[in-house]
Amino acid sequence: MMEANNILRQGSWAANIETVMWFEFLLDPKSLKEHLEKARPDPTPTELIVKLMDKITSETAAAEKAPPTPAYENLDDKPVDTPKPNNSATKKKLALKVMCLKIAAFLKWNLDIIEQKIPLETQHTLLQDLLIISREQKELSECANEINLQSCSPQELFSVLLYHRWVLRAVSRARMSAKQPRSFSSLSAMTAMKLEDRLVTIEQQVPQSIAILKQISTTQDVSLNVPVYETFEPLTEDNEDLNQQWDTCLKASEQEVHCQIHFDLAAFYFSREQYKEAREHIWKAAQINAKLPKVKVYCDIHEQTLQGYCRALGISKQEEQDLFVQFLTCKSNHFTGIVNILQRDNITREIPINYRDDLELEIQAASSSGDFFVARDLLLHVHILNAVRRALDSKASTISIATKLKQSNNKGNDKLISALKAVLPHCDEKLKTNLRMFLLDLFEAGVPKLNQSILSIPELSEIFSEQQIQHYKNKLQKKAHNLSPCWHNMPDTISNFNRRKLHGNPKLQKGMLEQKLIQSTEPSEIKNLIKSLNAGGPMKAPSKLNSKWELPIPVHSAVMGLQKGVLQDLIFILLAKSRDLSLSGDFERARKLLKAVEEELRTLSGNSKLGKLVNWELLLVSIMQFLKSWPVLPPSAEPIDMKNKENQELASQCKGCLSSLKIGESMIPRSEVLEHCALALLNLGEWEYLSNIDKRFLYFEMPGAFSYACLEITNHRSMKKISTKDAWEQILTVFSSGGVKRTSTGQPIGLRESPGLAAVQSRAQFQQFLSRLREPTTISVAVSILARLYNVLKDEQTLELNVEYTTIWPAVVTNSNAFNSRVVGEVLSELLHQALKYYPDNVSWLKVLGDINYANGFFASALKNYLQACIAVSGFFSRAVPKNKINDQVYIRMIKCCTQLRCHTQAAVLCQFLDDVDYATAFKSLHEKNCADAMDAYYHCIWDLTIVEFLVHLHHKNKEQERKQIAIKLASQMEMNSSNNEGIKMEVARVKKSCFLRTMAQQYVCS
């Protein structure tokens, strides 16, 4: 017999005297159990399952390839039995399948062993056979996708549950390790593509498996029978039917079933990094497992593994389960009921303190963001409860809680007392000592009324000694005694002090009046105070009362020409206060004081000079207010053209002020007034008037040059060159560091000496001039000149700034070494930021600001500016971004910005925005491994089928199954069909463009 066995053994098995062949178990079914119960069976149970499954597979393949048997085979044409069509497996196959299930039952359906020792495809086949036999079906069909718990038999429920548990475990195992079990013949016969397809099929079943497992985990009175070795009846010559002994199954308890399901769900969610769901299920598994007996029928959970998951998820004790789960649930439900949970935790001290610390940050973030309503005092309440918890743990820090209590206006004291009352009955002597030390530190920190409130409550005062109580009561009485005269009778005290001290002390009285004079802004009050100060003799010079009271030289000279006395002091102080208020932006009160000066001057004769100066100061205040409040919107109750009427009146006043220069009067406005008048006219669009003004006064050179440029641009928008270059040359003078020749005294040759010349040449004053530009055309002229100068100095085509009107300015600069392109760029950037405050939707300025940031290497800022330009022209992408506004050059720079920021997937998506899709850049970007964006989360924004097909190939090559499936699913969508008409393709591209740009805007603009 042994010799026969040796002859029959296949060459793949080792020639060992203990080795048994698989077909011996078919001949003698009883020998199977004897073999499995050996200390070291050869073959092992898992090897035997693989061998039997291989035999089934090979015979099935041979039967499919065999030619059909003829109906008549003998010479006498006698018919033989024609095989009847039958969908059931053959008797031999069924016998082998039953034998495999008996072996699996012998292994107690241990999925750890099955997954480790058996190939994936064989595992799937084995569990499918169990499903079929448990449902008493012989057709190999998918029968685990639906389940009715009411009509489901106990053994069927076991097979369905085992299958869906295996689905989750198989997916997790494939994700965590690409290394499969050692290669058996079945695995070697299966190509890598088939294995991938099987994994994809299993992955698609995950949502359904989770739903079924959750359904069973929430079902009460679950009846589940675990098949054992004796359950499966082997087929014999006399018995060809599948008659299983289901009454031999072991009955599993409901608690075991629920515990195993929760554990498997927790392990699956943990592998997917969904820690919130994993934490909830592992809590439930730990709670149920603690109640199970040591000997279990169904549940197979290693205690060390369970504890490992608990520690990894921040769970250290099984007793914490209920309160900790409620804590996490409250956090997800907008902190509803969180105070009650924290109060209970102060008694049990179960929730880790780091979770409670994080809670404070989350509440603060929620209240700042405004995503949902957060109670006003919730953060204070949580902070106090956490402080009590730290005090109980002897880890309290009183600095933070003392500051909070001081700022809470006694509300914090009430909440602290409530928290202490709740926890004190559950404290032993050690905890009471900790609380006592905590409260003593708060007393010493000086929290108002805290010690008085604490000591007045009997249950709280018990934790202090008699000496401590008496000490703080004495301290309170002493403090109240010392403070009572000035605390309870404060108004009387001050009044008595004033009556007693000020009555006989003229110096103090005068000092009080001077202080009131400095603070007052009411003309009548100021006049009365000056009279009071001059009643006892001449008052101190106004310039010595306040160092900030200064007047311009012409105005100061005119005021000093007045007769000394109350009137001179009054006019000086009113003018000085008006100037001070106008510089601080309080124009209404400044104008009110100047009007009061006019009223005072009307009573005098021969003061027309000072009257004119005051009128010009009033005009200066109006211009400053006009520039400060740009754009001036009319009140809703007044006509819409009120703004134009006011502007025309202001322009008329400015022209009247400048007309004094033409008449040739001896008295002319001071330079600051003239400069502001020119600026006002420039911003009001009075360019023709400014271009014809006398250029002898250099205050008007820059406004006049800008006015002429604005006139030519508005009258000839299609011109290629501007006829005069005054604005260009003057800006060159500003930025030149050595291009102007000077005399031996340091004066520039060929330029007139004047106070205005310094304003033109000084870069700081030029920036001040730019900061006062408000009208869009004048700003555009300044931007175009600076951008042209920057491009000429930079002389690098890839970094050029693109903005309108740049081509009308010269393309060369003599002696370029005398200029600094960095300084030009800084001035231009500052001008653009200033201009965008008034015109935030100006696309041209947003793009050139993005170009500056791009040239300087600030790629995230450049992307932000480009996206803001896209938002401005599309109404936040509610309509398509027009090509004439955002052209390919902008998209190319956006692509380069994304590449520099290592956001390669974003760069690849943007390659589709070009008129001719840049496939080379897109493919290179998708090949990059070091990527800092959301990667496959942007795939739904791709509409070019060539890029999608490249993604499928790339992920298949890199064995990235999940991403490959995302790309395949994208390619299979109807809108991606290459046969769609152009209208559908354009609409798909428009929708996906808007979706992608919104996502980019949320990251770079809104964050």
Side-chain angles (χ1 to χ4, degrees), residues 223-264:
S223 179
L224 185 143
N225 288 345
V226 181
V228 294
Y229 181 85
E230 291 79 10
T231 301
F232 300 99
E233 188 71 23
L235 297 182
T236 62
E237 296 180 358
D238 301 329
N239 180 18
E240 298 183 1
D241 297 328
L242 290 174
N243 296 321
Q244 314 306 333
Q245 304 298 324
W246 300 116
D247 55 345
T248 61
C249 295
L250 300 177
K251 186 173 181 59
S253 65
E254 176 186 326
Q255 290 76 13
E256 286 192 56
V257 176
H258 289 174
C259 182
Q260 186 66 59
I261 293 175
H262 286 305
F263 179 82
D264 288 332

Side-chain angles (χ1 to χ4, degrees), residues 803-954:
V803 68
E804 55 186 352
Y805 310 138
T806 52
T807 56
I808 67 177
W809 305 110
V812 293
V813 173
T814 57
N815 191 16
S816 60
N817 293 330
F819 299 89
N820 188 334
S821 62
R822 181 183 60 82
V823 175
V824 177
E826 289 176 355
V827 174
L828 176 56
S829 179
E830 185 176 344
L831 171 62
L832 289 169
H833 281 102
Q834 169 82 15
L836 288 170
K837 291 179 182 178
Y838 302 106
Y839 307 97
D841 293 336
N842 191 298
V843 179
S844 178
W845 298 345
L846 286 169
K847 289 194 296 183
V848 74
L849 184 58
D851 291 341
I852 293 175
N853 286 320
Y854 176 80
N856 291 330
F858 306 140
F859 300 110
S861 298
L863 268 177
K864 177 181 179 179
N865 298 135
Y866 292 140
L867 288 168
Q868 285 175 327
C870 295
I871 290 171
V873 297
S874 63
F876 207 88
F877 314 114
S878 60
R879 54 185 180 273
V881 178
K883 276 286 184 180
N884 61 337
K885 296 289 185 180
I886 308 296
N887 54 21
D888 278 3
Q889 189 172 16
V890 175
Y891 290 128
I892 289 173
R893 291 193 170 182
M894 290 175 70
I895 292 169
K896 292 180 179 178
C897 289
C898 291
T899 302
Q900 293 295 327
L901 294 171
R902 294 187 292 115
C903 299
H904 301 294
T905 314
Q906 294 177 356
V909 176
L910 284 170
C911 289
Q912 303 172 109
F913 285 61
L914 304 176
D915 290 336
D916 296 325
V917 181
D918 189 354
Y919 291 112
T921 303
F923 295 163
K924 181 181 178 182
S925 300
L926 293 173
H927 257 299
E928 294 288 342
K929 297 293 185 183
N930 189 12
C931 193
D933 58 22
M935 301 179 72
D936 52 7
Y938 293 114
Y939 285 2
H940 69 283
C941 299
I942 299 176
W943 64 87
D944 189 278
L945 195 57
T946 304
I947 296 179
V948 178
E949 291 173 348
F950 174 80
L951 283 171
V952 175
H953 166 74
L954 178 65

Side-chain angles (χ1 to χ4, degrees), residues 186-374:
S186 60
L187 184 59
S188 62
M190 185 174 58
T191 62
M193 182 61 74
K194 288 183 178 180
L195 179 58
E196 290 178 7
D197 292 342
R198 175 59 64 192
L199 287 172
V200 170
T201 303
I202 297 172
E203 179 76 28
Q204 293 172 352
Q205 293 179 345
V206 166
Q208 197 167 16
S209 297
I210 293 175
I212 291 176
L213 290 177
K214 287 185 176 180
Q215 179 187 1
I216 299 174
S217 68
T218 57
T219 303
Q220 302 296 326
D221 300 329
V222 175
S223 179
L224 185 143
N225 288 345
V226 181
V228 294
Y229 181 85
E230 291 79 10
T231 301
F232 300 99
E233 188 71 23
L235 297 182
T236 62
E237 296 180 358
D238 301 329
N239 180 18
E240 298 183 1
D241 297 328
L242 290 174
N243 296 321
Q244 314 306 333
Q245 304 298 324
W246 300 116
D247 55 345
T248 61
C249 295
L250 300 177
K251 186 173 181 59
S253 65
E254 176 186 326
Q255 290 76 13
E256 286 192 56
V257 176
H258 289 174
C259 182
Q260 186 66 59
I261 293 175
H262 286 305
F263 179 82
D264 288 332
L265 286 172
F268 173 77
Y269 284 127
F270 188 88
S271 68
R272 292 293 179 101
E273 299 181 4
Q274 299 178 12
Y275 300 121
K276 178 181 176 182
E277 292 83 356
R279 188 178 290 112
E280 293 178 3
H281 285 287
I282 204 66
W283 265 122
K284 294 176 182 178
Q287 183 189 28
I288 300 173
N289 187 67
K291 301 176 183 178
L292 294 179
K294 293 184 178 180
V295 179
K296 306 178 185 67
V297 174
Y298 179 75
C299 185
D300 185 20
I301 299 176
H302 297 288
E303 188 66 27
Q304 293 181 349
T305 306
L306 178 63
Q307 291 301 324
Y309 276 118
C310 289
R311 285 192 294 270
L313 294 169
I315 302 167
S316 58
K317 299 178 182 179
Q318 294 182 1
E319 291 79 13
E320 295 175 3
Q321 186 266 334
D322 292 334
L323 195 59
F324 190 72
V325 169
Q326 292 178 34
F327 174 78
L328 297 174
T329 305
C330 286
K331 287 175 63 177
S332 62
N333 292 336
H334 301 171
F335 314 115
T336 304
I338 197 68
V339 171
N340 184 34
I341 291 175
L342 295 181
Q343 287 175 339
R344 291 165 53 196
D345 183 63
N346 282 348
I347 299 173
T348 59
R349 296 181 299 284
E350 299 169 356
I351 301 175
I353 191 63
N354 59 310
Y355 281 91
R356 297 185 56 157
D357 292 338
D358 292 342
L359 177 64
E360 294 183 30
L361 300 177
E362 293 175 13
I363 294 175
Q364 188 173 3
S367 60
S368 301
S369 64
D371 293 339
F372 53 86
F373 175 76
V374 178

Side-chain angles (χ1 to χ4, degrees), residues 661-694:
L661 300 175
K662 296 181 180 179
I663 298 174
E665 294 183 358
S666 59
M667 188 178 124
I668 62 174
R670 59 191 182 91
S671 60
E672 185 181 4
V673 177
L674 294 173
E675 291 173 0
H676 274 79
C677 287
L679 275 169
L681 292 174
L682 181 62
N683 288 312
L684 289 170
E686 298 290 340
W687 302 322
E688 189 171 356
Y689 179 87
L690 282 176
S691 61
N692 296 324
I693 202 169
D694 192 354

Side-chain angles (χ1 to χ4, degrees), residues 38 69 154 186 201 225 411 574 799 859 976:
K38 291 180 180 179
T69 304
S186 60
T201 303
N225 288 345
K411 289 183 179 179
L574 290 176
L799 301 179
F859 300 110
M976 299 296 292

Side-chain angles (χ1 to χ4, degrees), residues 713-780:
I713 287 173
T714 53
N715 295 333
H716 310 285
R717 291 188 176 274
S718 60
M719 66 179 178
K720 295 183 179 179
K721 294 291 180 182
I722 196 168
S723 59
T724 180
K725 304 176 184 177
D726 290 347
W728 171 264
E729 291 174 353
Q730 291 193 33
I731 289 181
L732 286 183
T733 306
V734 170
F735 289 100
S736 175
S737 59
V740 179
K741 296 182 179 179
R742 299 180 180 272
T743 64
S744 59
T745 60
Q747 298 296 331
I749 297 176
L751 296 173
R752 289 161 290 189
E753 297 181 24
S754 171
L757 181 61
V760 174
Q761 291 181 326
S762 169
R763 189 177 304 137
Q765 293 188 3
F766 174 66
Q767 288 181 263
Q768 187 178 21
F769 167 78
L770 293 179
S771 68
R772 292 171 178 169
L773 296 180
R774 299 291 184 269
E775 205 279 330
T777 307
T778 59
I779 297 175
S780 295

